[in-house]
Amino acid sequence: FPSHDTSKGSDAWDEVRLGRFTSSQIYKIMECGKRPMTKAELDARPKTGKGSKTTQVPDPSKMSATGIKYIRQKVWETLTGRPLPGPYAYPLVWGKEQEPFAVEEFERRTGLITETTGFQVWTDHAGGSPDRLIGKDAGLEIKCPVSDEQIDYLMMTDYFDLKNNYPLSIVTGK
């Protein structure tokens, strides 16, 4: 697939992403929606404590409200040729500021050399921009969480903690 040699956050980078589902946001359409619990499920739920007030359960046959909103945003961008205006996002700015330090630490610890890349176009309606490439067959994604989110990550001790605290539906973005 063609790569667009643009700097992340530049006007050209924003332009090539217009109307395309991106690797950093695709989780939004992968998350399943919910349905009301059946009478049997309501009767079987706990009477007190955790789960006692639950009235809906995940349903893989339904799309989440977040997924529907993301699809509508991409349709809007395709129709207007303009990105949706967004609020100032401190976590995004923090991540951009900290990413070079994270790359440096990754390279120091692994001995691997990484290189920057532009937006990778996969189809007319999809693409992504890995934070770095490692050779021709691997990519590096860097996350620089802020505040309490970082503490949650530091308290994890293994893969099982990650899986238990962040089920597949939210690992990639929430």
Side-chain angles (χ1 to χ4, degrees):
F1 300 103
S3 172
H4 292 266
D5 193 18
T6 57
S7 299
K8 284 187 180 178
S10 69
D11 289 343
W13 186 73
D14 287 338
E15 187 176 315
V16 76
R17 292 168 51 97
L18 270 181
R20 286 192 167 96
F21 297 104
T22 64
S23 54
S24 61
Q25 299 295 307
I26 199 74
Y27 74 91
K28 291 179 177 180
I29 60 175
M30 297 170 82
E31 189 176 292
C32 69
K34 294 184 178 187
R35 66 163 173 77
M37 294 174 84
T38 64
K39 178 164 177 18
E41 290 169 329
L42 288 167
D43 291 343
R45 71 181 177 184
K47 302 303 177 223
T48 60
K50 187 175 181 179
S52 63
K53 299 199 184 311
T54 301
T55 60
Q56 296 197 339
V57 292
D59 182 347
S61 71
K62 299 189 179 303
M63 182 170 279
S64 70
T66 301
I68 292 169
K69 180 178 180 179
Y70 182 54
I71 290 169
R72 288 180 176 169
Q73 289 171 343
K74 292 298 158 185
V75 169
W76 187 87
E77 289 178 359
T78 299
L79 293 174
T80 65
R82 298 172 57 200
L84 278 173
Y88 174 80
Y90 173 73
L92 183 62
V93 172
W94 168 260
K96 286 181 181 182
E97 291 172 351
Q98 300 306 310
E99 186 175 299
F101 303 113
V103 169
E104 183 179 311
E105 184 66 15
F106 172 83
E107 290 180 341
R108 186 187 68 75
R109 287 186 185 201
T110 65
L112 297 171
I113 304 299
T114 67
E115 59 185 272
T116 59
T117 184
F119 188 82
Q120 308 289 312
V121 173
W122 302 327
T123 71
D124 287 345
H125 300 287
S129 49
D131 292 324
R132 296 288 191 280
L133 294 178
I134 305 169
K136 294 184 183 211
D137 298 321
L140 174 65
E141 279 299 316
I142 299 166
K143 300 299 173 221
C144 301
V146 294
S147 71
D148 62 323
E149 208 176 314
Q150 179 65 32
I151 303 305
D152 290 343
Y153 294 143
L154 291 171
M155 292 177 65
M156 289 184 218
T157 59
D158 56 26
Y159 162 82
F160 298 105
D161 284 346
L162 178 66
K163 191 167 178 145
N164 288 334
N165 289 304
Y166 297 92
L168 184 57
S169 66
I170 62 171
V171 165
T172 57
K174 290 186 181 181

PDB file of all heavy atoms in Angstrom, residues 68-97:
ATOM      1  N   ILE A  68     -21.203   3.487  15.747  1.00  0.00           N
ATOM      2  CA  ILE A  68     -22.111   4.190  14.831  1.00  0.00           C
ATOM      3  C   ILE A  68     -21.696   5.658  14.704  1.00  0.00           C
ATOM      4  O   ILE A  68     -21.653   6.211  13.605  1.00  0.00           O
ATOM      5  CB  ILE A  68     -23.575   4.048  15.310  1.00  0.00           C
ATOM      6  CG1 ILE A  68     -24.013   2.588  15.163  1.00  0.00           C
ATOM      7  CG2 ILE A  68     -24.495   4.990  14.536  1.00  0.00           C
ATOM      8  CD1 ILE A  68     -25.325   2.258  15.847  1.00  0.00           C
ATOM      9  N   LYS A  69     -21.352   6.277  15.812  1.00  0.00           N
ATOM     10  CA  LYS A  69     -20.920   7.684  15.786  1.00  0.00           C
ATOM     11  C   LYS A  69     -19.646   7.833  14.948  1.00  0.00           C
ATOM     12  O   LYS A  69     -19.528   8.764  14.148  1.00  0.00           O
ATOM     13  CB  LYS A  69     -20.680   8.187  17.209  1.00  0.00           C
ATOM     14  CG  LYS A  69     -20.237   9.633  17.264  1.00  0.00           C
ATOM     15  CD  LYS A  69     -20.065  10.100  18.699  1.00  0.00           C
ATOM     16  CE  LYS A  69     -19.618  11.556  18.725  1.00  0.00           C
ATOM     17  NZ  LYS A  69     -19.464  12.046  20.090  1.00  0.00           N
ATOM     18  N   TYR A  70     -18.690   6.920  15.097  1.00  0.00           N
ATOM     19  CA  TYR A  70     -17.433   6.986  14.341  1.00  0.00           C
ATOM     20  C   TYR A  70     -17.702   6.851  12.837  1.00  0.00           C
ATOM     21  O   TYR A  70     -17.147   7.595  12.027  1.00  0.00           O
ATOM     22  CB  TYR A  70     -16.473   5.909  14.837  1.00  0.00           C
ATOM     23  CG  TYR A  70     -15.128   5.916  14.161  1.00  0.00           C
ATOM     24  CD1 TYR A  70     -14.347   7.065  14.104  1.00  0.00           C
ATOM     25  CD2 TYR A  70     -14.613   4.762  13.601  1.00  0.00           C
ATOM     26  CE1 TYR A  70     -13.107   7.065  13.498  1.00  0.00           C
ATOM     27  CE2 TYR A  70     -13.373   4.744  12.991  1.00  0.00           C
ATOM     28  CZ  TYR A  70     -12.620   5.904  12.943  1.00  0.00           C
ATOM     29  OH  TYR A  70     -11.388   5.895  12.332  1.00  0.00           O
ATOM     30  N   ILE A  71     -18.559   5.918  12.459  1.00  0.00           N
ATOM     31  CA  ILE A  71     -18.905   5.749  11.041  1.00  0.00           C
ATOM     32  C   ILE A  71     -19.538   7.026  10.506  1.00  0.00           C
ATOM     33  O   ILE A  71     -19.195   7.500   9.414  1.00  0.00           O
ATOM     34  CB  ILE A  71     -19.842   4.542  10.849  1.00  0.00           C
ATOM     35  CG1 ILE A  71     -19.061   3.252  11.110  1.00  0.00           C
ATOM     36  CG2 ILE A  71     -20.455   4.544   9.444  1.00  0.00           C
ATOM     37  CD1 ILE A  71     -19.927   2.011  11.210  1.00  0.00           C
ATOM     38  N   ARG A  72     -20.440   7.619  11.264  1.00  0.00           N
ATOM     39  CA  ARG A  72     -21.083   8.868  10.829  1.00  0.00           C
ATOM     40  C   ARG A  72     -20.069   9.997  10.696  1.00  0.00           C
ATOM     41  O   ARG A  72     -20.163  10.828   9.786  1.00  0.00           O
ATOM     42  CB  ARG A  72     -22.200   9.252  11.791  1.00  0.00           C
ATOM     43  CG  ARG A  72     -23.392   8.341  11.657  1.00  0.00           C
ATOM     44  CD  ARG A  72     -24.496   8.711  12.604  1.00  0.00           C
ATOM     45  NE  ARG A  72     -25.643   7.857  12.368  1.00  0.00           N
ATOM     46  CZ  ARG A  72     -26.676   7.794  13.162  1.00  0.00           C
ATOM     47  NH1 ARG A  72     -26.729   8.528  14.250  1.00  0.00           N
ATOM     48  NH2 ARG A  72     -27.671   6.991  12.876  1.00  0.00           N
ATOM     49  N   GLN A  73     -19.078  10.049  11.584  1.00  0.00           N
ATOM     50  CA  GLN A  73     -18.040  11.076  11.480  1.00  0.00           C
ATOM     51  C   GLN A  73     -17.251  10.916  10.184  1.00  0.00           C
ATOM     52  O   GLN A  73     -16.961  11.903   9.493  1.00  0.00           O
ATOM     53  CB  GLN A  73     -17.083  10.991  12.676  1.00  0.00           C
ATOM     54  CG  GLN A  73     -17.700  11.449  13.960  1.00  0.00           C
ATOM     55  CD  GLN A  73     -16.824  11.154  15.170  1.00  0.00           C
ATOM     56  OE1 GLN A  73     -15.900  10.345  15.125  1.00  0.00           O
ATOM     57  NE2 GLN A  73     -17.122  11.817  16.279  1.00  0.00           N
ATOM     58  N   LYS A  74     -16.925   9.669   9.827  1.00  0.00           N
ATOM     59  CA  LYS A  74     -16.164   9.415   8.602  1.00  0.00           C
ATOM     60  C   LYS A  74     -16.999   9.726   7.365  1.00  0.00           C
ATOM     61  O   LYS A  74     -16.481  10.228   6.368  1.00  0.00           O
ATOM     62  CB  LYS A  74     -15.635   7.978   8.574  1.00  0.00           C
ATOM     63  CG  LYS A  74     -14.570   7.739   9.626  1.00  0.00           C
ATOM     64  CD  LYS A  74     -13.381   8.638   9.372  1.00  0.00           C
ATOM     65  CE  LYS A  74     -12.505   8.890  10.540  1.00  0.00           C
ATOM     66  NZ  LYS A  74     -11.455   9.856  10.274  1.00  0.00           N
ATOM     67  N   VAL A  75     -18.280   9.443   7.417  1.00  0.00           N
ATOM     68  CA  VAL A  75     -19.168   9.803   6.309  1.00  0.00           C
ATOM     69  C   VAL A  75     -19.217  11.323   6.166  1.00  0.00           C
ATOM     70  O   VAL A  75     -19.107  11.866   5.067  1.00  0.00           O
ATOM     71  CB  VAL A  75     -20.587   9.215   6.505  1.00  0.00           C
ATOM     72  CG1 VAL A  75     -21.574   9.810   5.504  1.00  0.00           C
ATOM     73  CG2 VAL A  75     -20.545   7.691   6.400  1.00  0.00           C
ATOM     74  N   TRP A  76     -19.334  12.033   7.283  1.00  0.00           N
ATOM     75  CA  TRP A  76     -19.362  13.492   7.264  1.00  0.00           C
ATOM     76  C   TRP A  76     -18.084  14.041   6.630  1.00  0.00           C
ATOM     77  O   TRP A  76     -18.126  14.934   5.792  1.00  0.00           O
ATOM     78  CB  TRP A  76     -19.534  14.037   8.685  1.00  0.00           C
ATOM     79  CG  TRP A  76     -19.749  15.520   8.739  1.00  0.00           C
ATOM     80  CD1 TRP A  76     -20.949  16.172   8.648  1.00  0.00           C
ATOM     81  CD2 TRP A  76     -18.762  16.534   8.883  1.00  0.00           C
ATOM     82  NE1 TRP A  76     -20.766  17.527   8.743  1.00  0.00           N
ATOM     83  CE2 TRP A  76     -19.414  17.783   8.877  1.00  0.00           C
ATOM     84  CE3 TRP A  76     -17.388  16.529   9.011  1.00  0.00           C
ATOM     85  CZ2 TRP A  76     -18.750  18.984   8.997  1.00  0.00           C
ATOM     86  CZ3 TRP A  76     -16.716  17.726   9.137  1.00  0.00           C
ATOM     87  CH2 TRP A  76     -17.395  18.931   9.125  1.00  0.00           C
ATOM     88  N   GLU A  77     -16.925  13.487   7.036  1.00  0.00           N
ATOM     89  CA  GLU A  77     -15.650  13.935   6.463  1.00  0.00           C
ATOM     90  C   GLU A  77     -15.602  13.675   4.959  1.00  0.00           C
ATOM     91  O   GLU A  77     -15.116  14.503   4.193  1.00  0.00           O
ATOM     92  CB  GLU A  77     -14.478  13.208   7.142  1.00  0.00           C
ATOM     93  CG  GLU A  77     -14.237  13.643   8.557  1.00  0.00           C
ATOM     94  CD  GLU A  77     -13.106  12.869   9.227  1.00  0.00           C
ATOM     95  OE1 GLU A  77     -12.507  11.974   8.600  1.00  0.00           O
ATOM     96  OE2 GLU A  77     -12.829  13.185  10.394  1.00  0.00           O
ATOM     97  N   THR A  78     -16.109  12.507   4.535  1.00  0.00           N
ATOM     98  CA  THR A  78     -16.111  12.169   3.111  1.00  0.00           C
ATOM     99  C   THR A  78     -17.002  13.132   2.327  1.00  0.00           C
ATOM    100  O   THR A  78     -16.631  13.599   1.247  1.00  0.00           O
ATOM    101  CB  THR A  78     -16.595  10.714   2.910  1.00  0.00           C
ATOM    102  OG1 THR A  78     -15.699   9.838   3.599  1.00  0.00           O
ATOM    103  CG2 THR A  78     -16.636  10.340   1.443  1.00  0.00           C
ATOM    104  N   LEU A  79     -18.154  13.444   2.883  1.00  0.00           N
ATOM    105  CA  LEU A  79     -19.092  14.332   2.188  1.00  0.00           C
ATOM    106  C   LEU A  79     -18.624  15.781   2.139  1.00  0.00           C
ATOM    107  O   LEU A  79     -18.836  16.481   1.154  1.00  0.00           O
ATOM    108  CB  LEU A  79     -20.471  14.261   2.847  1.00  0.00           C
ATOM    109  CG  LEU A  79     -21.215  12.936   2.712  1.00  0.00           C
ATOM    110  CD1 LEU A  79     -22.489  12.962   3.540  1.00  0.00           C
ATOM    111  CD2 LEU A  79     -21.517  12.628   1.254  1.00  0.00           C
ATOM    112  N   THR A  80     -17.983  16.241   3.213  1.00  0.00           N
ATOM    113  CA  THR A  80     -17.600  17.656   3.291  1.00  0.00           C
ATOM    114  C   THR A  80     -16.158  17.919   2.897  1.00  0.00           C
ATOM    115  O   THR A  80     -15.798  19.055   2.593  1.00  0.00           O
ATOM    116  CB  THR A  80     -17.794  18.196   4.728  1.00  0.00           C
ATOM    117  OG1 THR A  80     -16.890  17.520   5.603  1.00  0.00           O
ATOM    118  CG2 THR A  80     -19.229  18.048   5.183  1.00  0.00           C
ATOM    119  N   GLY A  81     -15.312  16.877   2.943  1.00  0.00           N
ATOM    120  CA  GLY A  81     -13.898  17.077   2.672  1.00  0.00           C
ATOM    121  C   GLY A  81     -13.184  17.817   3.796  1.00  0.00           C
ATOM    122  O   GLY A  81     -12.094  18.348   3.606  1.00  0.00           O
ATOM    123  N   ARG A  82     -13.801  17.836   4.977  1.00  0.00           N
ATOM    124  CA  ARG A  82     -13.225  18.550   6.123  1.00  0.00           C
ATOM    125  C   ARG A  82     -13.271  17.670   7.359  1.00  0.00           C
ATOM    126  O   ARG A  82     -14.230  16.934   7.561  1.00  0.00           O
ATOM    127  CB  ARG A  82     -14.031  19.825   6.384  1.00  0.00           C
ATOM    128  CG  ARG A  82     -13.991  20.790   5.212  1.00  0.00           C
ATOM    129  CD  ARG A  82     -14.930  21.951   5.362  1.00  0.00           C
ATOM    130  NE  ARG A  82     -14.648  22.689   6.585  1.00  0.00           N
ATOM    131  CZ  ARG A  82     -15.505  23.488   7.167  1.00  0.00           C
ATOM    132  NH1 ARG A  82     -16.696  23.653   6.661  1.00  0.00           N
ATOM    133  NH2 ARG A  82     -15.182  24.136   8.269  1.00  0.00           N
ATOM    134  N   PRO A  83     -12.244  17.764   8.208  1.00  0.00           N
ATOM    135  CA  PRO A  83     -12.292  16.994   9.452  1.00  0.00           C
ATOM    136  C   PRO A  83     -13.295  17.604  10.419  1.00  0.00           C
ATOM    137  O   PRO A  83     -13.592  18.801  10.336  1.00  0.00           O
ATOM    138  CB  PRO A  83     -10.872  17.118  10.003  1.00  0.00           C
ATOM    139  CG  PRO A  83     -10.359  18.399   9.438  1.00  0.00           C
ATOM    140  CD  PRO A  83     -11.031  18.552   8.083  1.00  0.00           C
ATOM    141  N   LEU A  84     -13.795  16.770  11.291  1.00  0.00           N
ATOM    142  CA  LEU A  84     -14.679  17.292  12.326  1.00  0.00           C
ATOM    143  C   LEU A  84     -13.862  18.153  13.274  1.00  0.00           C
ATOM    144  O   LEU A  84     -12.745  17.773  13.655  1.00  0.00           O
ATOM    145  CB  LEU A  84     -15.295  16.145  13.130  1.00  0.00           C
ATOM    146  CG  LEU A  84     -16.499  15.478  12.513  1.00  0.00           C
ATOM    147  CD1 LEU A  84     -16.892  14.255  13.328  1.00  0.00           C
ATOM    148  CD2 LEU A  84     -17.662  16.438  12.451  1.00  0.00           C
ATOM    149  N   PRO A  85     -14.374  19.300  13.653  1.00  0.00           N
ATOM    150  CA  PRO A  85     -13.641  20.094  14.640  1.00  0.00           C
ATOM    151  C   PRO A  85     -13.674  19.364  15.978  1.00  0.00           C
ATOM    152  O   PRO A  85     -14.656  18.736  16.319  1.00  0.00           O
ATOM    153  CB  PRO A  85     -14.433  21.403  14.696  1.00  0.00           C
ATOM    154  CG  PRO A  85     -15.783  21.075  14.169  1.00  0.00           C
ATOM    155  CD  PRO A  85     -15.618  19.914  13.238  1.00  0.00           C
ATOM    156  N   GLY A  86     -12.557  19.402  16.694  1.00  0.00           N
ATOM    157  CA  GLY A  86     -12.510  18.693  17.964  1.00  0.00           C
ATOM    158  C   GLY A  86     -12.006  19.589  19.073  1.00  0.00           C
ATOM    159  O   GLY A  86     -11.315  20.576  18.818  1.00  0.00           O
ATOM    160  N   PRO A  87     -12.317  19.237  20.301  1.00  0.00           N
ATOM    161  CA  PRO A  87     -11.841  20.023  21.430  1.00  0.00           C
ATOM    162  C   PRO A  87     -10.352  19.801  21.649  1.00  0.00           C
ATOM    163  O   PRO A  87      -9.786  18.802  21.212  1.00  0.00           O
ATOM    164  CB  PRO A  87     -12.645  19.467  22.604  1.00  0.00           C
ATOM    165  CG  PRO A  87     -12.930  18.063  22.208  1.00  0.00           C
ATOM    166  CD  PRO A  87     -13.095  18.094  20.700  1.00  0.00           C
ATOM    167  N   TYR A  88      -9.697  20.718  22.315  1.00  0.00           N
ATOM    168  CA  TYR A  88      -8.300  20.568  22.678  1.00  0.00           C
ATOM    169  C   TYR A  88      -8.188  19.329  23.566  1.00  0.00           C
ATOM    170  O   TYR A  88      -8.947  19.150  24.494  1.00  0.00           O
ATOM    171  CB  TYR A  88      -7.847  21.807  23.458  1.00  0.00           C
ATOM    172  CG  TYR A  88      -6.454  21.685  24.001  1.00  0.00           C
ATOM    173  CD1 TYR A  88      -5.362  21.903  23.182  1.00  0.00           C
ATOM    174  CD2 TYR A  88      -6.237  21.336  25.325  1.00  0.00           C
ATOM    175  CE1 TYR A  88      -4.075  21.787  23.682  1.00  0.00           C
ATOM    176  CE2 TYR A  88      -4.963  21.218  25.829  1.00  0.00           C
ATOM    177  CZ  TYR A  88      -3.875  21.449  25.009  1.00  0.00           C
ATOM    178  OH  TYR A  88      -2.613  21.319  25.500  1.00  0.00           O
ATOM    179  N   ALA A  89      -7.248  18.470  23.245  1.00  0.00           N
ATOM    180  CA  ALA A  89      -7.120  17.222  23.982  1.00  0.00           C
ATOM    181  C   ALA A  89      -5.750  17.137  24.645  1.00  0.00           C
ATOM    182  O   ALA A  89      -4.765  16.809  23.996  1.00  0.00           O
ATOM    183  CB  ALA A  89      -7.349  16.044  23.050  1.00  0.00           C
ATOM    184  N   TYR A  90      -5.703  17.419  25.947  1.00  0.00           N
ATOM    185  CA  TYR A  90      -4.444  17.379  26.672  1.00  0.00           C
ATOM    186  C   TYR A  90      -3.730  16.032  26.542  1.00  0.00           C
ATOM    187  O   TYR A  90      -2.526  15.998  26.311  1.00  0.00           O
ATOM    188  CB  TYR A  90      -4.642  17.735  28.146  1.00  0.00           C
ATOM    189  CG  TYR A  90      -3.384  17.529  28.950  1.00  0.00           C
ATOM    190  CD1 TYR A  90      -2.307  18.404  28.820  1.00  0.00           C
ATOM    191  CD2 TYR A  90      -3.242  16.433  29.789  1.00  0.00           C
ATOM    192  CE1 TYR A  90      -1.134  18.192  29.521  1.00  0.00           C
ATOM    193  CE2 TYR A  90      -2.075  16.220  30.503  1.00  0.00           C
ATOM    194  CZ  TYR A  90      -1.030  17.103  30.362  1.00  0.00           C
ATOM    195  OH  TYR A  90       0.130  16.893  31.040  1.00  0.00           O
ATOM    196  N   PRO A  91      -4.442  14.890  26.678  1.00  0.00           N
ATOM    197  CA  PRO A  91      -3.735  13.614  26.549  1.00  0.00           C
ATOM    198  C   PRO A  91      -3.034  13.446  25.196  1.00  0.00           C
ATOM    199  O   PRO A  91      -1.955  12.880  25.116  1.00  0.00           O
ATOM    200  CB  PRO A  91      -4.845  12.571  26.730  1.00  0.00           C
ATOM    201  CG  PRO A  91      -5.861  13.263  27.570  1.00  0.00           C
ATOM    202  CD  PRO A  91      -5.835  14.698  27.090  1.00  0.00           C
ATOM    203  N   LEU A  92      -3.637  13.950  24.138  1.00  0.00           N
ATOM    204  CA  LEU A  92      -3.023  13.855  22.811  1.00  0.00           C
ATOM    205  C   LEU A  92      -1.739  14.689  22.748  1.00  0.00           C
ATOM    206  O   LEU A  92      -0.707  14.237  22.251  1.00  0.00           O
ATOM    207  CB  LEU A  92      -4.016  14.319  21.744  1.00  0.00           C
ATOM    208  CG  LEU A  92      -3.555  14.208  20.294  1.00  0.00           C
ATOM    209  CD1 LEU A  92      -3.275  12.757  19.922  1.00  0.00           C
ATOM    210  CD2 LEU A  92      -4.617  14.782  19.377  1.00  0.00           C
ATOM    211  N   VAL A  93      -1.793  15.893  23.270  1.00  0.00           N
ATOM    212  CA  VAL A  93      -0.609  16.761  23.294  1.00  0.00           C
ATOM    213  C   VAL A  93       0.476  16.125  24.154  1.00  0.00           C
ATOM    214  O   VAL A  93       1.645  16.072  23.765  1.00  0.00           O
ATOM    215  CB  VAL A  93      -0.975  18.174  23.811  1.00  0.00           C
ATOM    216  CG1 VAL A  93       0.271  19.014  24.021  1.00  0.00           C
ATOM    217  CG2 VAL A  93      -1.918  18.856  22.826  1.00  0.00           C
ATOM    218  N   TRP A  94       0.107  15.615  25.318  1.00  0.00           N
ATOM    219  CA  TRP A  94       1.058  14.939  26.198  1.00  0.00           C
ATOM    220  C   TRP A  94       1.734  13.780  25.460  1.00  0.00           C
ATOM    221  O   TRP A  94       2.943  13.609  25.511  1.00  0.00           O
ATOM    222  CB  TRP A  94       0.339  14.427  27.445  1.00  0.00           C
ATOM    223  CG  TRP A  94       1.150  13.484  28.281  1.00  0.00           C
ATOM    224  CD1 TRP A  94       1.066  12.120  28.287  1.00  0.00           C
ATOM    225  CD2 TRP A  94       2.169  13.822  29.220  1.00  0.00           C
ATOM    226  NE1 TRP A  94       1.957  11.585  29.176  1.00  0.00           N
ATOM    227  CE2 TRP A  94       2.658  12.612  29.763  1.00  0.00           C
ATOM    228  CE3 TRP A  94       2.715  15.020  29.666  1.00  0.00           C
ATOM    229  CZ2 TRP A  94       3.656  12.569  30.710  1.00  0.00           C
ATOM    230  CZ3 TRP A  94       3.714  14.964  30.622  1.00  0.00           C
ATOM    231  CH2 TRP A  94       4.174  13.762  31.136  1.00  0.00           C
ATOM    232  N   GLY A  95       0.949  12.972  24.772  1.00  0.00           N
ATOM    233  CA  GLY A  95       1.484  11.841  24.035  1.00  0.00           C
ATOM    234  C   GLY A  95       2.483  12.264  22.966  1.00  0.00           C
ATOM    235  O   GLY A  95       3.550  11.657  22.814  1.00  0.00           O
ATOM    236  N   LYS A  96       2.160  13.322  22.234  1.00  0.00           N
ATOM    237  CA  LYS A  96       3.075  13.820  21.193  1.00  0.00           C
ATOM    238  C   LYS A  96       4.381  14.325  21.808  1.00  0.00           C
ATOM    239  O   LYS A  96       5.449  14.142  21.238  1.00  0.00           O
ATOM    240  CB  LYS A  96       2.412  14.938  20.389  1.00  0.00           C
ATOM    241  CG  LYS A  96       1.363  14.443  19.428  1.00  0.00           C
ATOM    242  CD  LYS A  96       0.761  15.602  18.651  1.00  0.00           C
ATOM    243  CE  LYS A  96      -0.315  15.126  17.694  1.00  0.00           C
ATOM    244  NZ  LYS A  96      -0.873  16.213  16.917  1.00  0.00           N
ATOM    245  N   GLU A  97       4.286  14.954  22.962  1.00  0.00           N
ATOM    246  CA  GLU A  97       5.493  15.461  23.622  1.00  0.00           C
ATOM    247  C   GLU A  97       6.363  14.336  24.166  1.00  0.00           C
ATOM    248  O   GLU A  97       7.587  14.422  24.149  1.00  0.00           O
ATOM    249  CB  GLU A  97       5.108  16.413  24.767  1.00  0.00           C
ATOM    250  CG  GLU A  97       4.512  17.718  24.309  1.00  0.00           C
ATOM    251  CD  GLU A  97       3.966  18.556  25.457  1.00  0.00           C
ATOM    252  OE1 GLU A  97       3.882  18.051  26.610  1.00  0.00           O
ATOM    253  OE2 GLU A  97       3.604  19.721  25.214  1.00  0.00           O
TER     254      GLU A  97
END
